[in-house]
Structures are given as C-alpha cells and as structure tokens.
Amino acid sequence: MIQPIQPNYICNSCQLPTRERNYCIFDKNEVDYFVKQKENALPYLTDILEHSNNEAQVTETLYIIDRMTDNGTKGIDKLYPVFARFNNTESPNIQTFLAGIYRKTQIPDAFGPLINMLIKNSLKPHNPNQTFDPNEEIGGAILSYLSGRFKG
C-alpha cells in the first residue's frame, strides 16, 4: 500500500557545511522515511528536483536518492533527465551528491558531464571558503566508469 508523503517532510532540514564543519547535516528521520518508501517516494523527490532552486533542499533530496540507491530502490537510473538539470551547477554540495549517484548508477549519459565538472572545477582558482573538494567524488565517479563497470 502506498503511504502518502507526510507534509512535515519536505527535504528542507539540510544544514550545509560551514567553516567549522565540512559536511552536511540531515534529519535522519526524514531521510529514513523516504528511503523506506523506495520507489513510491520517487515521484515526490523528482518533483522537488524539477522545481527547486534551493541548494540545501536539492542537496538533501540528492542525498536521499543516493541512500535509496544504496538500499536497492529501482528506477533511479531513469531519473537522469531530472539529474541533468544540475550537471552545470557550481555548488560543491550538489556536485558531490550528483557524482555519487552517477558513480552508483553508471548512467552512460552522465560520463561526459562528470568530465566537464572536473575540468571546470580544475580551471577555477581554489575558493578558500570552500570546506571540501567535490573533485574527490567526481574523480572517483569517473574512475568507477573507467574501471570496466561502465556499461555504455
């Protein structure tokens, strides 16, 4: 039976990294709620990704989808057209979780955008306010594609 999405769960609890903390903080109950919904939550999460321009909300939604991928949720690879909206983002938070999803799903169309992200990031001077380097995850995703698991 499909459970309706609880109105208090809108993927708006993410606390982005700060100078003192180089990682995001998410509401564990909210994340677990969506992960347990599996495929039933994908339309709701897809809607958020299609319409939100809020970095924290997009980051949290991508984190949830990343966790859903780990949990065996089917159909995430079919969401590439939705993910592609963020392929040119400059947000290190969004880049990191997007690269993680691409690494796990091995969507063939995502390989080029990963290369593009890495090159663009490499050409920019280092931002001293940036708390971590998204190129670690992006590079890891690229290596994963090249390691022979790529099904393109």
Side-chain angles (χ1 to χ4, degrees):
M1 178 169 136
I2 297 176
Q3 299 176 10
I5 301 298
Q6 295 181 10
N8 56 326
Y9 290 148
I10 56 173
C11 297
N12 244 355
S13 66
C14 176
Q15 296 175 43
L16 294 174
T18 65
R19 283 181 173 248
E20 295 77 35
R21 175 181 38 80
N22 69 344
Y23 56 90
C24 295
I25 297 176
F26 304 103
D27 178 336
K28 181 184 176 346
N29 292 329
E30 183 176 25
V31 171
D32 289 347
Y33 171 79
F34 282 112
V35 170
K36 287 177 188 170
Q37 293 285 323
K38 296 188 78 91
E39 292 82 6
N40 296 331
L42 289 179
Y44 181 79
L45 298 171
T46 298
D47 186 62
I48 291 172
L49 293 176
E50 287 177 336
H51 298 98
S52 180
N53 291 317
N54 179 299
E55 179 183 10
Q57 187 177 40
V58 170
T59 299
E60 182 168 359
T61 304
L62 290 173
Y63 173 70
I64 291 168
I65 291 173
D66 184 71
R67 288 274 317 278
M68 291 171 82
T69 303
D70 293 339
N71 198 42
T73 301
K74 301 212 182 319
I76 291 174
D77 58 328
K78 307 289 187 265
L79 298 179
Y80 177 75
V82 177
F83 299 144
R85 174 176 179 232
F86 304 102
N87 284 347
N88 292 314
T89 185
E90 293 191 12
S91 163
N93 302 300
I94 293 173
Q95 286 180 350
T96 298
F97 288 106
L98 194 60
I101 292 167
Y102 289 166
R103 179 177 53 81
K104 292 172 186 176
T105 58
Q106 298 285 297
I107 300 167
D109 289 346
F111 184 74
L114 284 168
I115 298 291
N116 190 40
M117 270 186 234
L118 186 64
I119 291 170
K120 280 184 175 180
N121 288 351
S122 298
L123 295 174
K124 288 187 296 189
H126 176 70
N127 179 351
N129 295 324
Q130 192 170 311
T131 56
F132 63 94
D133 185 0
N135 289 340
E136 292 178 22
E137 185 66 30
I138 295 166
I142 291 169
L143 288 174
S144 181
Y145 272 82
L146 296 175
S147 71
R149 297 189 325 210
F150 181 46
K151 299 170 181 83

